[in-house]
Amino acid sequence: MIELIKATAREHLAVDGPNLSLRAVARDIGVVSSAVYRYFTSRDDLLTALILDAYTDLGDAVETAEQAVPRSDFAGRWQTLGRATRNWANANPPEYALLYGSPVPGYTAPPDTVGPASRVVQRLALIMRDAHAAGELAAPPHQRLPRPLRADLTALVALPEFGGTSVAIVARGMTAWTLLFGLISFELFGRLTNGIHDYEAYFEHQWRGIAGFVGLP
Amino acid sequence: MIELIKATAREHLAVDGPNLSLRAVARDIGVVSSAVYRYFTSRDDLLTALILDAYTDLGDAVETAEQAVPRSDFAGRWQTLGRATRNWANANPPEYALLYGSPVPGYTAPPDTVGPASRVVQRLALIMRDAHAAGELAAPPHQRLPRPLRADLTALVALPEFGGTSVAIVARGMTAWTLLFGLISFELFGRLTNGIHDYEAYFEHQWRGIAGFVGLP
DNA sequence: TGTACATCAGTGAACGCGCGTTCACTGATGTAC
DNA sequence: TGTACATCAGTGAACGCGCGTTCACTGATGTAC
C-alpha cells in the first residue's frame, strides 16, 4: 500500500509538480483521503519519502552503471557516470526536478536525505581519486586561493572519497559536478530549445570536454 | 498600479514560490481580488510580466556592470559578468528561482521571453568573440564531433554575437554558460551547505577557473 | 458657471472548485483459549 | 469446533481554509458644450 501511494504520488509529480495533492493521490487510488494518513503522517512526510526514494534510485542507477566499467578505464568510468545520471534524469523528469530544481517553498528536507543526496558526487570523486592514485590524473595548474576557501577545500580533501588528492583537484571536481547537473537542468528545463537539437550528442561532448579539465586522460 | 501589483507579487514569490496567489496579492494591496483583472487578464499573465521584468532586470544589471570594464580587459569583463549575475541572483533569489529553477507546472512562457532570456549568454559570447578578434583567445584542442552536433554548433557560430569564432569555441562557451548558472543554482538551492562556507570566494575561483578552459588569458 | 454625459477604477457577491488534517466510526480479518 | 476479543485498514463527515474567474454594479473623476 505504501508503495502504491508512492507510485501514484510519483505520477502526480509529473503533472502538478512538487505541489503534490494528498487528496488527489487518494482519489486516484480509490481511497478516501484520510486513509493515506495511516501510512504517512503528513503531506511533507510523503514528499520526503519520494525524495529519499528518488535519491536512492538515482544513486543505484549511477553506481551500477559505473561499476560495470573496468576499474582502470577512468575516462570510461567518467563518461558512464555522466551518461547514467543524464539517462536517469531523462527517464524521471519530475523526480529530477524534485531533487535538483528549485526548492519546494515551505519544505525543508530532513537531515537523513543528505547521505543519499551525495552519492553521485561521491562516485565522481572516487573516479578522480582512483585516477590520481594510478598516476593518470594530470595536476591542475597552481592557483592562489583565499584563506577561507582553502580551508573549505582542505576539509573536503580529507574526506575518504577525495583522500590523497589535492585542493586544486577537489575544486575542479566540484566544477565538473556542478556542470553535470547544470547540463541536465538546462536540457530538462528547456534552456537548450533554441540552438541544440541532439541533446545526447551535446551532453556527451560537453561532459567529455570537462573530463580534460579535471585532468583525466 | 500595475507596478504596485507586480511589486507585491514579487514579495509573494519569495514566500510561496511560483504558486503565486492572485487573491493574496490583492489582499495585500488592500483591494478586492477582481480588481486585479483590470490590469492583468489572468494569473499567468501576471506571472509572465514578472518573468519578463526579471529577465530585463538581470540583463540590465549584467550589461551595465560588464560595460564598465575596459573593453580589452577580457578576463576582467568575464569575471565581472559572472559576478554581476551571481550578485543579482543573491539579491533576488525568488526571481532567480522563477527564471532558472524548475519550470512552473502548467505554465509555458510565451515566445517574447526568449529575447530577454538570452541577454546574459549573449554578453558572455560577446566577450569571447572580442577576445578572439583580438587574438587573445587560446584555441581549444580539436575534437571530433558527431554530425548533428556539428550542425547545431555551426548554426550558433553564425550568430552575430559568436561570429568569427569557431565551433569548438562556441561549445566551450556553452560549457561556461552552463557552469555559471549551475554554480549559482547550487549555491541558492542549498547544494553547497555541506562543505562550502565562503560562497563568494568559491564562486570567484570556479568562475576564474573556467575562464582558462574557454581560452581566456 | 453649470449641466449632462462618458470614462474608468474598484466593489461585492457568487460559482464551483480545491486543499490538509481530525475524529469517531465500521467491518473485516486474525488470534487465543 | 466455537466463542470472545484484539487488531487494523479504511470510511465519512466535518472543520476551516484557500483558490481563479465572472459579472452586474457603484461612485468618483474628467470632458464637452
Side-chain angles (χ1 to χ4, degrees), chain A residues 15-212:
Chain A
V15 182
D16 308 326
N19 312 307
L20 189 61
S21 157
L22 221 153
R23 284 186 109 108
V25 170
R27 208 180 304 129
D28 264 29
I29 298 179
V31 112
V32 95
S33 72
S34 51
V36 176
Y37 283 81
R38 186 160 301 274
Y39 305 97
F40 297 94
T41 67
S42 70
R43 201 201 69 126
D44 278 9
D45 192 37
L46 173 55
L47 208 56
T48 301
L50 292 179
I51 289 174
L52 267 174
D53 276 16
Y55 275 133
T56 303
D57 199 33
L58 167 61
D60 287 353
V62 168
E63 284 177 15
T64 306
E66 195 267 340
Q67 226 131 24
V69 180
R71 295 295 80 193
S72 58
D73 177 8
F74 304 112
R77 289 169 64 187
W78 180 268
Q79 206 62 22
T80 301
L81 177 141
R83 185 156 43 227
T85 307
R86 174 174 176 274
N87 284 346
W88 183 88
N90 269 289
N92 308 276
E95 280 89 347
Y96 178 82
L98 190 61
L99 302 185
Y100 291 97
S102 11
V104 180
Y107 173 84
T108 35
D112 54 331
T113 55
V114 174
S118 43
R119 284 174 65 187
V120 173
V121 64
Q122 273 170 15
R123 209 77 202 170
L124 187 146
L126 226 67
I127 299 174
M128 295 177 68
R129 192 197 64 181
D130 289 357
H132 180 258
E136 293 200 34
L137 195 71
H142 182 75
Q143 262 185 304
R144 288 183 54 98
L145 292 176
R147 190 184 298 270
L149 179 58
R150 178 168 294 275
D152 281 343
L153 294 177
T154 305
L156 290 170
V157 182
L159 293 178
E161 63 267 26
F162 262 133
T165 61
S166 73
V167 160
I169 289 174
V170 169
R172 299 221 156 179
M174 291 184 76
T175 303
W177 169 54
T178 307
L179 183 71
L180 173 58
F181 290 100
L183 287 169
I184 296 173
S185 294
F186 269 15
E187 174 179 344
L188 290 182
F189 298 169
R191 286 277 143 188
L192 303 179
T193 44
N194 304 296
I196 300 296
H197 300 93
D198 188 336
Y199 292 148
E200 186 181 337
Y202 173 73
F203 176 86
E204 293 280 336
H205 178 258
Q206 295 292 68
W207 187 238
R208 197 175 300 119
I210 210 72

Side-chain angles (χ1 to χ4, degrees), chain B residues 1 23 30-32 34-35 38-39:
Chain B
M1 185 63 183
R23 284 187 110 106
V31 111
V32 95
S34 51
R38 186 159 301 274
Y39 305 98

